[in-house]
Amino acid sequence: MKMLYIDGGACIKCLYCVKVCPQSVFAVNGKSSPGAEAPERCIACGQCVAVCPAGAVVHAAFPAAKVHRAEASMRPSPEQLMELIRTRRSNRAMTGGEVPEEHLQMILEAAHRAPTAENSQQIEFTLITGKENLRKISSLTIATFSRVRALLANPVVKPLLQPFMRDTFKLVPFFDKLKREFLQGNDGILRNASAVIIISAGRRDRFACEDANLAYQNASLMAEALGVAHFYTGFVLAAERITRKLNREFGINGRICAAMALGLPAVKFGKYVDRKEIKVTYRR
């Protein structure tokens, strides 16, 4: 069987496959029905299979078991989706209790289903749990900040760097506070999270970080829908860019581009607040 073709007997000639294919694989070319004229360009995105109302597109990458009918009744209304977006917050107040495994799996699936550039699907996920593992993440982050702090305090280096790193120098008291409290048992990095999801991609993937952050957004919205507290681990990522120690400690392949901490919420937000006025430039 060919990798990709159209079943002429089932095709209703709607030409939806021609319209949605991002690689222009399908064409009519004077025929009465469309055909896969350039299958070598296919990136296996599944657009053609998903859009065909007659099931006429036969694709080796998408056998019947991988094709599912969309249930319109299961979709949230625009108002419901907007309410979820408005009320989504980074919640760092966590109890330390474990997030149910089924919730973690739903969050991972949501992240996995995010779009990727050129349908590369190169994104990988590392789910880290266990108190010792989580403390290791925070400890590595604190240690990296300590080294940066020592560099900034160096009397030879300080006058050279300060004009170019004023914002970083402003964080020095905060670095000191983080370290001091961490040594006292108060983790200001992961905040009682019971799980961390690290999102990585190949080092040669041109759109690794863009794809990873799209995955994070999907995961964030699913976590919000499940009532799981979560936040973007910016400090961990900043430290990792300097040392790349998480790759070695946890056997993570590729470049770490995004990560999120998850836990059971200690508080719930009953209201949402407006953001600054939206800035839009219209060019019509």
Side-chain angles (χ1 to χ4, degrees):
M1 181 176 69
K2 295 180 181 178
M3 173 187 152
L4 173 61
Y5 68 92
I6 293 179
D7 181 349
C11 179
I12 60 174
K13 304 177 180 60
C14 64
L15 303 186
Y16 288 176
C17 56
V18 177
K19 295 175 182 177
V20 303
C21 179
Q23 298 297 106
S24 299
V25 169
F26 300 93
V28 177
N29 290 338
K31 301 175 184 178
S32 59
S33 60
E37 300 297 320
E40 70 281 359
R41 293 206 293 258
C42 178
I43 59 173
C45 64
Q47 291 275 77
C48 55
V49 176
V51 79
C52 181
V57 179
V58 180
H59 200 308
F62 303 103
K66 286 192 172 186
V67 182
H68 311 278
R69 182 169 298 280
E71 297 294 341
S73 62
M74 294 291 289
R75 294 189 178 189
S77 68
E79 293 77 17
Q80 289 170 330
L81 179 57
M82 184 59 77
E83 184 72 4
L84 178 65
I85 293 170
R86 285 170 174 160
T87 56
R88 192 219 71 83
R89 298 198 70 83
S90 297
N91 187 351
R92 296 173 177 82
M94 301 182 182
T95 66
E98 294 186 5
V99 177
E101 180 65 25
E102 59 268 27
H103 287 184
L104 292 173
Q105 293 305 318
M106 290 182 73
I107 292 167
L108 284 167
E109 181 180 353
H112 175 60
R113 287 189 175 274
T116 56
E118 299 172 336
N119 195 42
S120 64
Q121 297 188 48
Q122 295 298 309
I123 295 297
E124 296 185 20
F125 304 93
T126 303
L127 174 61
I128 301 174
T129 57
K131 291 183 179 180
E132 288 191 13
N133 284 333
L134 297 174
R135 182 172 177 81
K136 185 178 293 184
I137 293 174
S138 297
S139 181
L140 289 172
T141 303
I142 294 289
T144 301
F145 288 162
S146 295
R147 287 196 293 275
V148 172
R149 168 71 173 87
L151 178 64
L152 297 179
N154 185 297
V156 176
V157 175
K158 183 175 181 179
L160 298 174
L161 294 181
Q162 197 161 20
F164 308 101
M165 301 177 63
R166 294 188 183 279
D167 289 342
T168 304
F169 274 88
K170 290 178 183 178
L171 289 173
V172 166
F174 183 68
F175 290 164
D176 292 342
K177 179 175 180 288
L178 274 177
K179 181 177 180 179
R180 186 171 59 253
E181 292 190 353
F182 184 72
L183 294 175
Q184 295 171 354
N186 182 17
D187 184 356
I189 301 297
L190 293 184
R191 309 293 188 102
N192 276 334
S194 62
V196 168
I197 294 175
I198 292 179
I199 309 174
S200 59
R203 297 194 183 279
R204 295 184 180 181
D205 188 337
R206 290 182 300 160
F207 300 103
C209 287
E210 290 84 351
D211 290 346
N213 282 287
L214 286 172
Y216 172 84
Q217 288 298 331
N218 267 24
S220 174
L221 289 174
M222 178 55 77
E224 190 70 28
L226 291 167
V228 174
H230 60 283
F231 62 89
Y232 194 89
T233 58
F235 283 138
V236 174
L237 294 171
E240 178 63 13
R241 281 194 289 268
I242 297 171
T243 65
R244 294 184 178 177
K245 284 192 174 182
L246 288 181
N247 289 82
R248 295 191 292 271
E249 289 288 341
F250 296 102
I252 298 171
N253 296 319
R255 180 168 32 142
I256 295 174
C257 296
M260 67 189 307
L262 304 116
L264 297 183
V267 301
K268 293 185 178 181
F269 297 91
K271 300 184 285 288
Y272 66 86
V273 296
D274 288 335
R275 297 178 67 81
K276 295 178 181 179
E277 291 297 318
I278 187 171
K279 296 179 182 178
V280 182
T281 300
Y282 295 96
R283 303 293 187 193
R284 293 173 175 165

